[in-house]
Amino acid sequence: MTKYLFVTGGVLSSVGKGITASMLGRVLQERGYTVMSAKLDPYINVDPGTMSPYQHGEVFVLDDGTETDLDLGHYERLLDINLSSVCNFTTGQVYAEVIAKERRGDYLGGTIQVIPHITDEIKKRILCVADETKADIVMVEVGGTVGDYESLPFLEALREMPSEVGEENCFFIHVTWVPHIMASGELKTKPTQHSVRELRSIGISPDMIVLRSDLPLNEEITQKVARFCSVAPQAVVPMITADVLYDIPFELEKMGIGDYMMSKLGIKSKRKPTWRRWTRLAAESRAEKPTINLALVGKYVELHDAYKSVQEAITHAGLHNKVDVKIDWVQSEDLEGLTKEKVTQRLQNAAAIVVPGGFGERGIEGKINAVQYARESKTPYLGLCLGMQLMTIEFARNVLGLEGAHSTEFEHLTPHPIIDLMPEQRSLNEMGATMRLGLYPCRIQEKTLAASLYKTDYIEERHRHRYEFNNQYRQQFENHGMILSGLSPDQRLVEIAELKDHPYMIASQFHPEFLSRPLNPHPLFMGLISAGIERTKKLQK
């Protein structure tokens, strides 16, 4: 029988439920169990695909093309698993399905209500995760905070789950924030007590409470929470903000959390935890290392979560190259309208430059200025999706001399549409889930930078875009030193472009950051950081 761990949040949002769930899952994985994660998002949007990054952070894309919450990126990276569409659903999806059933007459003329119809659909989707993945343990995180109106149907569904699968197969974890009052120097547990009381009023009693804090929590605090919230003392888990993310599982092991969860779930370890590779990863994270500077030129840099997977991929590659990578978050709009000298002054300390994906014309010319600087100064460059498109546009303007070259996404009447809408996209009217999404194959040319990085001629990568490189310009580009080193198997679509006579200038139409893992960093990022190390040596001479 599948075991279900339900993770809820209290006191405030962004408390770290996704990281907490992932780390608890990792502890169970290390004992030989297969773990699958799911995220239930209470917002009414069908998915986050049409939401602004300022609202929701990055949109994480799965192999099957599902656009999801960024927490699924945490799950995939930290648990080293690949998720599917069943692992993330929203209020919008649930209501759309129930209404579709009502329109078909599936309810035989019955009155449609939140209970039981909406809650039954939520439970069905939770059970579907276990049915489709065959995981031993399914960890289910409910987005938002207990007390939010929109999350009530999800919490009611969770309350009913023990009746569906058996109380012995359910374990409820409540993650809360313990605020620190600066004036008095006190850490306050009262918000946690109120949050647990709110959860109990719905009918859910937590089996474990995870106390998140930036400051150490002493035994007096954990005992107080145990007493007032009627939870076993060993089930009150202080989780302090860690300097090294990969140290968290070891802290959980010291507290005996894995053994406690298994005892409550009635299961035993299939193997003894060793943590060999994870131990090396954590040790490397703590070790003193030389630093290199990397400029990330984006339009949403005020909210770092908008580029969470890019940031993580850079970190993974830095660890395996044994360097600390200091990210300089460059607002692309700040580079617009500047002279070459001013752009150089802003970027000259960067040993490497990344231009990530994005939508809309705001800040585009600033990104193009960054691309031109990287090309002319021989600074290692990695372009991701839009970053590849802008690399080709800059090349067309400043190497091929094609004045006014652009993308029809930003300039519909451009005389040189280097980037254009895919033919199959022209008749589409809806925005949501209509892009080229998910895992697609790519063939890599021999004796190219891409081939040396991937060490294979066939790859599969995740996409999220609507526009493509215009094939009418292929020959011109190749004649002047641009290598189109990765193509779709049918040769129609350009997937990877790279520059001759440059230490490292490569870009992909896909999003390599979505497949980077702490223990298996992505080749394109590994190559970038390696080239950045060499660039740093030159800058220091």
Side-chain angles (χ1 to χ4, degrees), residues 78-126:
L78 296 174
L79 295 173
D80 198 14
I81 56 177
N82 285 2
L83 304 176
S84 67
S85 59
V86 298
C87 299
N88 189 207
F89 62 88
T90 69
T91 294
Q93 291 176 23
V94 170
Y95 272 81
E97 179 61 24
V98 170
I99 290 170
K101 288 179 179 179
E102 187 273 332
R103 293 289 83 190
R104 290 195 303 265
D106 292 2
Y107 298 116
L108 303 176
T111 301
I112 311 306
Q113 297 176 296
V114 173
I115 302 173
H117 301 95
I118 297 299
T119 51
D120 281 353
E121 181 65 24
I122 293 169
K123 288 186 292 181
K124 185 192 83 171
R125 287 172 178 249
I126 293 172

Side-chain angles (χ1 to χ4, degrees), residues 132-244:
E132 292 204 13
T133 66
K134 310 303 181 187
D136 298 321
I137 297 167
V138 173
M139 301 201 68
V140 180
E141 176 192 347
V142 179
T145 306
V146 169
D148 296 342
Y149 285 115
E150 56 264 32
S151 65
L152 287 174
F154 288 93
L155 295 175
E156 170 59 23
L158 263 56
R159 184 193 67 79
E160 296 175 14
M161 281 296 293
S163 299
E164 297 278 343
V165 301
E167 290 187 11
E168 70 279 8
N169 297 315
C170 295
F171 190 83
F172 290 89
I173 302 164
H174 193 50
V175 184
T176 75
W177 182 256
V178 180
H180 176 250
I181 306 301
M182 187 74 71
S184 62
E186 293 179 291
L187 288 158
K188 307 300 289 186
T189 64
K190 188 63 71 177
T192 293
Q193 296 173 43
H194 285 310
S195 182
V196 171
R197 185 174 65 186
E198 181 76 23
L199 193 60
R200 283 220 175 88
S201 71
I202 298 166
I204 298 173
S205 293
D207 298 293
M208 177 180 288
I209 298 174
V210 177
L211 301 178
R212 286 279 295 107
S213 173
D214 286 334
L215 299 174
L217 302 173
N218 58 34
E219 187 176 353
E220 181 183 352
I221 288 174
T222 58
Q223 291 287 343
K224 183 176 181 180
V225 170
R227 183 182 306 113
F228 282 92
C229 297
S230 300
V231 175
Q234 61 267 42
V236 179
V237 182
M239 187 172 283
I240 313 307
T241 302
D243 293 330
V244 175

Side-chain angles (χ1 to χ4, degrees), residues 355-357 371 381-394 418-419 467-469 482 484 486 494-498 506-510:
V355 173
V371 174
Y381 172 87
L382 176 60
L384 312 173
C385 194
L386 178 62
M388 188 198 92
Q389 296 176 358
L390 298 182
M391 186 177 96
T392 61
I393 290 169
E394 189 279 328
I418 305 302
I419 304 298
Y467 290 76
E468 297 278 359
F469 180 81
M482 180 79 77
L484 306 179
V494 175
E495 301 283 23
I496 305 174
E498 58 187 67
I506 190 168
S508 64
Q509 185 58 79
F510 47 80

Side-chain angles (χ1 to χ4, degrees), residues 178-465:
V178 180
H180 176 250
I181 306 301
M182 187 74 71
S184 62
E186 293 179 291
L187 288 158
K188 307 300 289 186
T189 64
K190 188 63 71 177
T192 293
Q193 296 173 43
H194 285 310
S195 182
V196 171
R197 185 174 65 186
E198 181 76 23
L199 193 60
R200 283 220 175 88
S201 71
I202 298 166
I204 298 173
S205 293
D207 298 293
M208 177 180 288
I209 298 174
V210 177
L211 301 178
R212 286 279 295 107
S213 173
D214 286 334
L215 299 174
L217 302 173
N218 58 34
E219 187 176 353
E220 181 183 352
I221 288 174
T222 58
Q223 291 287 343
K224 183 176 181 180
V225 170
R227 183 182 306 113
F228 282 92
C229 297
S230 300
V231 175
Q234 61 267 42
V236 179
V237 182
M239 187 172 283
I240 313 307
T241 302
D243 293 330
V244 175
L245 177 68
Y246 309 117
D247 279 338
I248 294 175
F250 305 127
E251 295 301 317
L252 295 173
E253 288 285 15
K254 288 178 186 177
M255 292 183 276
I257 300 305
D259 293 338
Y260 180 80
M261 286 193 296
M262 288 195 302
S263 68
K264 297 294 287 186
L265 291 168
I267 56 179
K268 296 181 179 179
S269 291
K270 295 183 179 182
R271 65 172 185 239
K272 184 178 180 180
T274 61
W275 298 100
R276 289 190 185 93
R277 296 183 69 195
W278 202 265
T279 300
R280 290 196 296 269
L281 182 68
E284 189 60 53
S285 299
R286 290 191 298 270
E288 290 289 332
K289 297 179 286 296
T291 298
I292 71 166
N293 297 316
L294 180 146
L296 191 152
V297 184
K299 58 189 293 185
Y300 314 114
V301 294
E302 300 90 344
L303 181 67
H304 294 180
D305 273 357
Y307 303 108
K308 189 62 181 176
S309 291
V310 178
Q311 188 178 6
E312 290 295 314
I314 291 168
T315 299
H316 303 161
L319 285 174
H320 285 261
N321 276 290
K322 300 187 185 304
V323 292
D324 278 325
V325 183
K326 180 181 178 183
I327 298 178
D328 179 10
W329 300 87
V330 181
Q331 171 56 255
S332 57
E333 285 181 285
D334 293 344
L335 299 179
E336 293 189 329
L338 299 182
T339 62
K340 278 190 178 183
E341 290 74 18
K342 291 291 186 181
V343 173
T344 298
Q345 288 177 16
R346 180 64 183 86
L347 298 175
Q348 63 186 353
N349 292 325
I353 294 173
V354 172
V355 173
F359 297 91
E361 64 180 325
R362 179 175 65 84
I364 290 300
E365 293 300 326
K367 290 186 177 186
I368 291 174
N369 285 342
V371 174
Q372 183 178 8
Y373 169 80
R375 180 178 58 81
E376 294 179 346
S377 67
K378 304 294 187 182
T379 300
Y381 172 87
L382 176 60
L384 312 173
C385 194
L386 178 62
M388 188 198 92
Q389 296 176 358
L390 298 182
M391 186 177 96
T392 61
I393 290 169
E394 189 279 328
F395 191 85
R397 289 180 184 180
N398 300 315
V399 176
L400 303 183
L402 300 179
E403 187 176 350
H406 219 314
S407 166
T408 54
E409 179 182 1
F410 313 122
E411 182 53 66
H412 186 65
L413 299 178
T414 173
H416 297 290
I418 305 302
I419 304 298
D420 201 3
L421 200 62
M422 292 187 290
E424 57 267 33
Q425 292 281 331
R426 296 184 189 279
S427 61
L428 296 175
N429 295 315
E430 294 188 358
M431 297 282 289
T434 57
M435 291 183 282
R436 188 174 178 223
L437 292 164
L439 207 65
Y440 284 89
C442 171
R443 288 287 180 186
I444 298 177
Q445 288 189 37
E446 295 180 353
K447 299 179 181 179
T448 60
L449 175 59
S452 70
L453 293 168
Y454 279 101
K455 296 179 173 55
T456 181
D457 65 352
Y458 178 85
I459 60 172
E460 292 182 337
E461 294 277 4
R462 294 177 182 178
H463 293 66
R464 185 177 185 253
H465 64 100

